[in-house]
Amino acid sequence: MSERESWHKEIDLFLVAMGYFTRIPMPKWVEVDSDKLNKASRYFGLVGLLVGLLSAIVFWLTQNWLPAGVSVLLAMLVGVLLTGGFHEDGLADTFDGFGGGWTAEDKLRIMKDSRLGSYGALALMLALLLKWQLLVELALYDPVVAGSALIVAHTVSRVVSASIIFSEKYVRDDETSKSKPLSQHQGINELLILIASGVLVLLFLKGLAALSLLLVMIGLRRLIIMIFRRQIGGYTGDTLGAAQQIAEIVCYFVLLVVGNIL
């Protein structure tokens, strides 16, 4: 394979990842199949970087003439519009399933139901409120830090979520899934490229903040995996969405705490 063909392949995989996780229109020549979806997981972090960057730009452009709370809300709105609420939907479905089912089969059945239950509604409401409040506090501390937090959290949270594919088992059959599974296998190359995208954004943080976030994310990933194994024996697309949302919120927590310490 020539260098040009190699670059074309990587661009194609990135566009597959972006087309799956965002509402941004993709070129017509981009085709999606299970093999490409598996390999495209290497770029899930970069998709988060793009979403975070666009959200941060909106925040930075509006925070000089709007209250911090409104600018943060607009930035969050951009993130939701870009992704179509893809991860938020996974969070709600996961909490409905984990909260309302007794067995793994019950939980998976409830998660497949498109209706929103009380557990999911509460989780979604509290998650959005937490994001908004944490980002407002970061904005009041330093607008630059708040914008940077959007970029870092959107990237790192997707790295944490997507890395679960590498070590865990996909537990929903395609026939019973309400949407095409994002990936059922992740090779070592995909994992290393994925991790590299997370490390890349951490390099832009101060030493203590980067180290703290790295250690917390490693611990959080382990905790999330333990919960998923206990609840359903593995992961689904919904639980990966939930993992992303939880990791994003925890990123804001860590950056706020470290910021206050510094």
Side-chain angles (χ1 to χ4, degrees), residues 87-104:
H87 306 293
E88 287 82 359
D89 178 67
L91 175 77
D93 286 342
T94 297
F95 273 79
D96 273 338
F98 287 9
W102 288 98
T103 66

Side-chain angles (χ1 to χ4, degrees), residues 152-182:
V152 171
H154 273 285
T155 306
V156 172
S157 63
R158 283 166 174 81
V159 171
V160 170
S161 174
S163 70
I164 293 174
I165 301 170
F166 180 76
S167 60
E168 302 308 299
K169 179 176 67 173
Y170 184 76
V171 294
R172 190 186 293 286
D173 293 334
D174 290 349
E175 290 76 10
T176 63
S177 178
K178 62 184 180 183
S179 64
K180 185 183 294 184
L182 60 92

Side-chain angles (χ1 to χ4, degrees), residues 209-229:
L211 179 60
S212 299
L213 195 55
L214 176 62
L215 295 177
V216 170
M217 287 298 107
I218 291 173
L220 179 65
R221 180 186 183 276
R222 181 58 186 167
L223 176 61
I224 288 173
I225 285 175
M226 288 173 59
I227 294 172
F228 287 177
R229 286 177 179 176

Side-chain angles (χ1 to χ4, degrees), residues 20-32:
Y20 194 92
F21 285 106
T22 75
R23 296 294 179 89
I24 299 173
M26 293 295 105
K28 293 183 179 180
W29 52 263
V30 177
E31 297 180 356
V32 180

